[in-house]
Amino acid sequence: MAKRKEDAPAPGSPAWMATFSDLMNLLLCFFVMLFAMSSIEEAKLQEFVAAMNNTFSVFDGGASAIGDGFLISNGVSQLNELDQYINSTGKTADSETDGEDFNEFEMSPEAMEEILQDQMLQENEERVEEMEEALRENDIADEVEVSFTAQYVKLTMNGGLLFDSGSAQLKDEAKLIIDKVGLMLERYGNGGSIEIEGHTDNVPMKSAQYPSNEELSSARALSVFYYLLDTTSLDPINLKHAGMGERVPIADNATPEGRSRNRRVEILIYNPSQK
């Protein structure tokens, strides 16, 4: 029996390619429309609508060409009202904003500064909790008082504990305390400035070596400064010292107790974020 010849394929492209091409065109139009809708500038949107209308006749003839499907025909036809929808959201429409550009994420310098201060205050509060724990572990919590602001953490040591009356030479027992404070500064102070301030009471200071409280307070701050330089690995660039004399009392100089509190050395550990 003679073999039957197979039918020759019909000339031209297969039928499925026409459907595939239509699908690709629709996808192209769909993504172009998504891109156009991502823009909120009315002028550019109108240019896009006009170009698509003139080139592909998608917007005017979409329903009759594609069909009355809810997701395609109705969705495409609603693009003619797109600019009205965008204006109703308040994102464009210059008349509604009186010609002013408004950015809801723009923040005033004052608000930014307030946020920074709150962040620094929280950081210093956490640092103080750790330092107070370290003071207790080193048995010097009674000798060193800790306080803080957003700008710095302050360690206060009584002057009578560190120096003899009228002297700027550190006592031997004072060096033991400052050794432990120095370890804390190495752990918590690197990265920011550290300022050592000497303070006195208001009793006039008259001696050959220190003719005033200004000189005495400066000499005491300098003694602590040099001792920390010699016994710690703190960066000298970050260390400062100042004599404040009697100008910044923390207690009433009219009483012996108040004068004793005013004779002190303060170490201010500034937050690294401080300008």
Side-chain angles (χ1 to χ4, degrees), residues 75-143:
V76 171
S77 65
Q78 290 171 4
L79 287 174
N80 290 322
E81 301 175 2
L82 179 62
D83 56 331
Q84 179 181 354
Y85 168 77
I86 295 176
N87 288 340
S88 68
T89 64
K91 295 181 181 178
T92 59
D94 294 341
S95 61
E96 295 183 12
T97 58
D98 296 327
E100 297 181 359
D101 292 331
F102 176 77
N103 185 355
E104 62 179 330
F105 298 105
E106 185 176 353
M107 189 175 296
S108 66
E110 293 79 9
M112 294 179 64
E113 179 64 22
E114 184 177 354
I115 291 176
L116 177 61
Q117 292 296 316
D118 291 341
Q119 178 182 349
M120 291 168 53
L121 187 65
Q122 182 177 357
E123 291 174 354
N124 284 346
E125 184 176 7
E126 295 172 355
R127 184 183 300 182
V128 164
E129 292 177 357
E130 296 177 355
M131 295 180 74
E132 287 178 337
E133 180 63 26
L135 289 172
R136 288 190 291 268
E137 291 177 355
N138 287 282
D139 297 325
I140 56 172
D142 294 335
E143 286 79 15

Side-chain angles (χ1 to χ4, degrees), residues 33-75:
M33 285 187 292
L34 287 180
F35 175 79
M37 286 188 291
S38 66
S39 173
I40 62 173
E41 296 184 15
E42 184 177 358
K44 291 185 178 181
L45 177 62
Q46 294 295 347
E47 292 176 3
F48 167 76
V49 171
M52 293 295 294
N53 186 34
N54 294 334
T55 305
F56 297 104
S57 298
V58 172
F59 294 96
D60 290 340
S64 60
I66 300 174
D68 291 329
F70 177 76
L71 294 178
I72 299 178
S73 172
N74 293 342

